[in-house]
Amino acid sequence: MRLQTAFRRDVQGLRAIAVLVVMLFHACKTWLPSGFIGVDVFFVISGYIICSLIIDGKTEFSWSAFYWGRTKRIVPAYGVMLAVVSIVSALLFLPGDFLFFKRSLESAILFYSNQYFSDFGSYFAPGTYELPLLHTWSLAIEMQFYLFFPLLILFTPRKYLTCMLGVMCVTLFGYAEWSMRTQISHSDIYYSLIARVPEFLMGALVAITRVGHNWSTKVSNFVGWIGLILLAFSVFCIDEQNFPGVLSILPCIATGLLIAARTGTVSKLLSTDVFVWVGGLSYSLYLWHWPVLAFIRYYTERYELGDAGVLVFLITTFLLAWLSFRWVECPTRNSTGLLAKPMRLGALLTVIALIIIGSSALNEHIEKPLPIELTRYAPPEAICHGRIIGECLRGNRTEAIPVLVLGDSHAAQLNGFFDAVVRQENMAARVITASNCVPISGFDVDRIPEYSRADCRSQIAALAPYIDQATTIVVAAMWEWQASNSAFLHAFSNFLESTTKRNVRVVVLAQIPMFDFNPLRVRRFSELGLPIKVNKNKGWEKANNEIAEIVRRYKGAEFVDFSHSAFFAKAPFYSGTLIYMDSHHLNERGAYDYGLFSAPFMKPLFTTNH
């Protein structure tokens, strides 16, 4: 048995609106500040379509036909996208970045990427806008919804169904709102199936109640315009930080009204050929638009696309979507098509699996692997970054009161630096750091990414007794980011004042030069024959000057700047060796060489009385 429901041109046009607002939002958030609600529009439409499929054929419902239909609809085009993205990722991505991709790929294949991305967080992972499978979270939620939804509809007596779905909607919207405002992080609830289920159910309620079926054209026209206005309001005015939850009701109601208003002016507008054509491509457009954006941004290392980037994005996305629709979606939907039978679909998926598996070998053979010390700034298991491991000492461990070093990852990268500096002088340094965080009292922990907040708080607590005992403290950080926050500048000034009053020497190290591009990516893209230009970023110099001005206010504090020294004259290289691991961190070899270079200048700062 083949399950189907009546085709509605206006609903297809509504799909076009949904995918276009998502694409524009992802291309540039300032164009449509709340364009993310396009995904919620899709969820409501899916709830409506799937519920219509089930209740229209309830007396002869076939479980196998339902799930086979969903499989044919989603999996082939999805699998082809995963295979192509795997190949491109294998070519473009650095080995470390490709590991993050493979983990996301595993979750995407098994349709649980919503859970993977809800827990995703790593300082050295690519930015989320560079993750080509981030968008699969919504498809994962949709597939998870399909698993239980037929059970809910078929095993609930019809007379109770409307009431039960209504209660579930209110309860789950309320749960999402409560969760965001209490103990659950925003990413957890944003990617949560439970928070999104009521959006599907809103569409299901429209199908079950058959609202709008008996409306006059006048009523449909009025309701349609209300729905369109409400949807436009949602696209521009909803705050992403407070979404989903109660606010997600607005685009859901808007979508429900537009589906119900099937005979009005708005319905006719949505039914025009151009909207119907884009709506037909909407699934493939959604599949391809985000990987195209992610690859453009990974290659350029910029979020902003520029005019040329936008043009490349649109042309590439629509071309890939049309190819996917024409050669994958259409054949698999057609019951007599090439890929309709399970054996043929299985053969296609086998080819896709082989391509995905082979992508790992491809990634490793693009370029000769670098020695590990050129790809990291220190062995992560041997440094006190985000946690305390042993005594956190570098150099001579018999030194009574070691130099205390603290800061964010720009201090953590100096573990090798202090090995070189203090060992030459028979001294010791205790290095305690945390990602994104300068672990001093008063640091604004809530402004940094969620994944680093707990580590920041623990390192602040761990450092407190060492700060009280220290005679010399070295502070290093990515000043370009830290100095942009007024709360940090206030906390940093208080730290300098309280510390220097206790006759403690404070040495503040300047941020090292920062590039607008990852040198390791330059190396890889050069191997691929791709053109790339590397320039030094300008913001770090301004931030260094701002921090230096603050430090000069306190007697006993000194700002030390090697950023314009001979060591960085040919950065990201020194003596012909790559010394950077990314655009703003030294690698392990670079950190040690930096220490050897700086040791003669640092010795007086650690030994001279003041």
Side-chain angles (χ1 to χ4, degrees), residues 13 77 95 192 236 349 358 363 428 444 494-495 607:
S192 167
F236 285 98
L349 296 180
N363 179 260
D444 183 10
N494 288 341
F495 169 79
T607 58

Side-chain angles (χ1 to χ4, degrees), residues 553-567:
R553 300 172 191 167
Y554 301 95
K555 185 179 179 181
E558 186 163 353
F559 187 80
V560 179
D561 188 356
F562 297 114
S563 63
H564 296 284
S565 67
F567 185 79

